[in-house]
Amino acid sequence: MNKTLLVVLIVLALALIAYNVTLVNFSNPLEGNSIVAIIGIMASLCAIVLLLLYVMSKKVQKEVDKKN
């Protein structure tokens, strides 16, 4: 996966987090559309974690290949 694509995907996930934060009703966060926004925030955070894990695994793979 191209590094530019990774950056674009992470920026899109951050943009989704920012958008969903605006939809959360902080006085009642577990009712109505707020719960959907919270689920969207958690899904975006999971996507970012997975992308960062992918980057780290590629770095480890390069180190292992360099040793062999």
Side-chain angles (χ1 to χ4, degrees), residues 21-55:
V21 165
T22 63
L23 297 178
V24 175
N25 180 5
F26 290 104
S27 62
N28 256 342
L30 298 178
E31 290 184 4
N33 286 338
S34 292
I35 192 71
V36 175
I38 290 173
I39 291 170
I41 291 169
M42 296 304 292
S44 297
L45 288 172
C46 288
I48 290 172
V49 167
L50 287 173
L51 288 168
L52 293 176
L53 280 171
Y54 178 76
V55 169

Side-chain angles (χ1 to χ4, degrees):
M1 191 179 295
N2 193 353
K3 193 167 194 166
T4 306
L5 180 61
L6 284 170
V7 171
V8 168
L9 290 174
I10 290 173
V11 168
L12 284 174
L14 288 173
L16 280 172
I17 289 171
Y19 174 70
N20 283 322
V21 165
T22 63
L23 297 178
V24 175
N25 180 5
F26 290 104
S27 62
N28 256 342
L30 298 178
E31 290 184 4
N33 286 338
S34 292
I35 192 71
V36 175
I38 290 173
I39 291 170
I41 291 169
M42 296 304 292
S44 297
L45 288 172
C46 288
I48 290 172
V49 167
L50 287 173
L51 288 168
L52 293 176
L53 280 171
Y54 178 76
V55 169
M56 291 307 220
S57 70
K58 285 297 182 182
K59 286 182 182 178
V60 169
Q61 184 180 9
K62 283 182 183 178
E63 289 296 321
V64 168
D65 288 343
K66 193 184 295 184
K67 288 182 181 180
N68 290 334

